[in-house]
Amino acid sequence: MTPPHLDALDRLPGLGRDELAGALAAIFPACVDAPTPPLLRAALPEGGRQAALRALAAVDPVAYARTRNHVTGAVSGLSPWIRHGVLSLAEVRDAALARVACAEEAEKFISELAWRDYWRRVHAALGERIALDIEPAACPPRRRDRLPDVPEDVLAAGTGMRCIDAFVRTLHDTGRLHNHERMWLASWLVHVRGVRWQAGADWFLRHLLDGDPASNHLSWQWVAGTFAAKPYIFNRENLQRYSADVHCSPCPLLGHCEVEGSYEDLAARLFAAGSGTERPPLRIRPAPPWQPPGSGAPRRPLVWLTLDAVSAASPAATAHPDAPRLYVIDPAWLAAERPSLKRLVFLFECLRDVSGVAVAFGDPRTVVPARARAAGCDGVALATTPCPRVRRAADGIADEMPVGVHRWPPLCADARIDDLGRFSRFWNRARSRALEPTASVPG
């Protein structure tokens, strides 16, 4: 999947949005949806640090706690910048605590940040195994022949269910979905349509601006009941309540809806009789802090910006402010996730804020050390990441030159975290530290 005109990559971060979208579409045609939605000017949030700080300044933790479950609620919208390391979890937590009279007023907001920290820790512990069922399904479905792909009528927003079709259009057009809409769409796809959760997770990962395998795949497993005490289901009453009834009343399927009825009725229709698989308590041991084996701290490093750290706010970049910076587009990532044009535009807008960044295409295992030597560097520095692909590449680079791994400001103390089997256990151990501010904002 080698794109043409690779010599144009370095100039991409300097382009305006329309030019950037056109250039990316030409270089990476496989990432262009057909037809390309007319969304890049208005609906797509702007990538980069300044846009992230403006969004952070608008966060209201108290209103968030009160209204977050409603589609029109006061959600933060920060997730795309957090996903790419433009904002750190600790930085967002500190900003929230600065706006409340006491930490408890921001606790709901901070606990949602903790979910992302939790997903990342699980990803670091399990690696690529997050793409497989972590547990047997809590409630085996009545329909055992799971569909291998997302059906075409779903992808075309042509199911006839106003809610589902609206969620699909929003996902494709904007790369964003309210968390409740994600849960409804995932639950319907897995439990009603009988689609393998992996197919749905891959579909979301292609389109969501904040999509990363940790929070995306593990959230789908939570919905499916393969990493949760029970599967997540919803009914029409729940949908109406939290969507202000914009979908149900005008829906032609009203009265014949696939999620009509009580939760007991739905469970009886969707899951095998006597559902409730007996499973041993799940224990997941946290991974030790990652450092490439045999490596050391370079004195004059090249800063390697990865998908989790596309910003000058990366701890590797802040530790080495005068070092050259490099971002590498990995063809293995393109093949695995097939990111949409929207995702690529947001990514390159984030890179635009990184002064002097160079962009390359190829296997980071060979590109990064070659660029480091060409720049007169004696090693590589990068921010810690749970991504197995990046970790493998860094481990390989460490065979040739020192690789220094820089940690993000912590949301909570590692020493207290000894089991990642359930979020509730994690939060019980993490809560007290997570509600304390730290000096986490990069200079």
Side-chain angles (χ1 to χ4, degrees):
M1 191 178 178
T2 303
H5 313 305
L6 292 181
D7 57 343
L9 289 177
D10 275 336
R11 69 181 181 87
L12 290 181
L15 298 179
R17 175 165 288 181
D18 290 340
E19 290 180 298
L20 177 60
L24 287 168
I27 296 173
F28 303 106
C31 296
V32 179
D33 299 318
T36 302
L39 53 89
L40 293 178
R41 180 173 290 106
L44 190 67
E46 181 184 353
R49 178 76 176 167
Q50 295 309 309
L53 291 176
R54 289 193 295 271
L56 181 60
V59 168
D60 182 341
V62 175
Y64 175 89
R66 187 177 64 251
T67 66
R68 60 175 290 274
N69 285 327
H70 295 267
V71 171
T72 57
V75 297
S76 71
L78 297 176
S79 191
W81 295 287
I82 293 173
R83 186 271 178 270
H84 291 94
V86 180
L87 297 172
S88 74
L89 293 173
E91 176 182 9
V92 175
R93 180 267 315 279
D94 290 355
L97 288 175
R99 290 178 199 151
V100 294
C102 61
E104 286 70 24
E105 290 183 335
E107 180 170 352
K108 187 57 190 174
F109 181 82
I110 294 170
S111 72
E112 294 302 315
L113 298 177
W115 270 102
R116 187 173 289 266
D117 187 23
Y118 172 68
W119 296 139
R120 289 174 177 173
R121 291 171 185 264
V122 174
H123 194 195
L126 299 183
E128 288 165 339
R129 287 180 290 159
I130 66 168
L132 305 173
D133 290 356
I134 294 174
E135 304 175 272
C139 295
R142 284 189 177 276
R143 179 175 179 171
R144 298 301 180 93
D145 55 329
R146 313 303 287 174
L147 298 176
D149 301 304
V150 179
E152 287 299 323
D153 66 316
V154 177
L155 297 176
T159 69
M161 290 187 66
R162 285 181 62 96
C163 58
I164 298 300
D165 294 343
F167 303 155
V168 172
R169 286 191 295 269
T170 300
L171 173 66
H172 287 175
D173 288 352
T174 70
R176 309 182 89 176
L177 271 180
H178 186 281
N179 188 57
H180 228 149
E181 294 174 326
R182 299 183 193 202
M183 293 164 59
W184 290 327
L185 180 51
S187 176
W188 178 84
L189 198 67
V190 171
H191 301 308
V192 177
R193 289 299 294 268
V195 176
R196 292 174 66 249
W197 68 259
Q198 289 93 336
D202 289 345
W203 173 43
F204 268 30
L205 195 60
R206 171 170 167 76
H207 290 282
L208 286 172
L209 300 182
D210 64 353
D212 74 284
S215 59
N216 183 66
H217 280 57
L218 293 171
S219 293
W220 275 83
Q221 294 223 48
W222 185 86
V223 167
T226 58
F227 186 33
K230 60 182 180 180
Y232 171 77
I233 59 176
F234 72 102
N235 62 10
R236 182 170 64 84
E237 181 182 0
N238 178 270
L239 174 67
Q240 286 180 296
R241 176 182 180 186
Y242 292 108
S243 66
D245 196 23
V246 298
H247 304 297
C248 297
S249 292
C251 183
L253 299 181
L254 187 64
H256 306 281
C257 179
E258 293 172 312
V259 293
E260 186 74 52
S262 68
Y263 284 102
E264 292 76 14
D265 292 337
L266 287 172
R269 293 204 303 264
L270 297 174
F271 304 113
S275 285
T277 303
E278 289 293 330
R279 302 179 300 180
L282 179 65
R283 307 291 180 189
I284 299 176
R285 184 178 179 84
W290 168 60
Q291 177 68 41
S295 187
R299 293 176 299 166
R300 302 183 309 280
L302 170 76
V303 172
W304 176 20
L305 300 178
T306 66
L307 201 60
D308 294 320
V310 193
S311 171
S314 157
T318 57
H320 305 282
D322 299 322
R325 288 96 181 266
L326 174 70
Y327 182 81
V328 181
I329 301 174
D330 186 350
W333 169 66
L334 289 176
E337 296 191 13
R338 298 187 306 116
S340 68
L341 182 61
K342 299 178 294 295
R343 286 192 65 191
L344 290 178
V345 168
F346 187 84
L347 169 65
F348 273 87
E349 286 187 337
C350 290
L351 286 169
R352 184 174 58 198
D353 280 0
V354 183
S355 177
V357 65
V359 183
F361 179 89
D363 183 348
R365 171 66 180 79
T366 57
V367 171
V368 173
R371 289 293 188 104
R373 285 190 290 265
C377 298
D378 66 346
V380 175
L382 75 160
T384 191
T385 173
C387 177
R389 189 181 299 113
V390 172
R391 289 188 172 203
R392 284 194 299 269
D395 289 348
I397 294 168
D399 292 337
E400 302 180 43
M401 58 179 56
V403 175
V405 174
H406 296 263
R407 300 194 67 192
W408 295 93
L411 189 72
C412 57
D414 288 348
R416 291 181 53 85
I417 309 304
D418 55 9
D419 179 18
L420 301 172
R422 292 285 183 262
F423 175 78
S424 57
R425 296 180 215 148
F426 167 78
W427 184 237
N428 284 339
R429 303 287 283 177
R431 177 183 176 277
S432 58
R433 172 64 188 272
L435 295 181
E436 297 175 358
T438 61
S440 62
V441 180

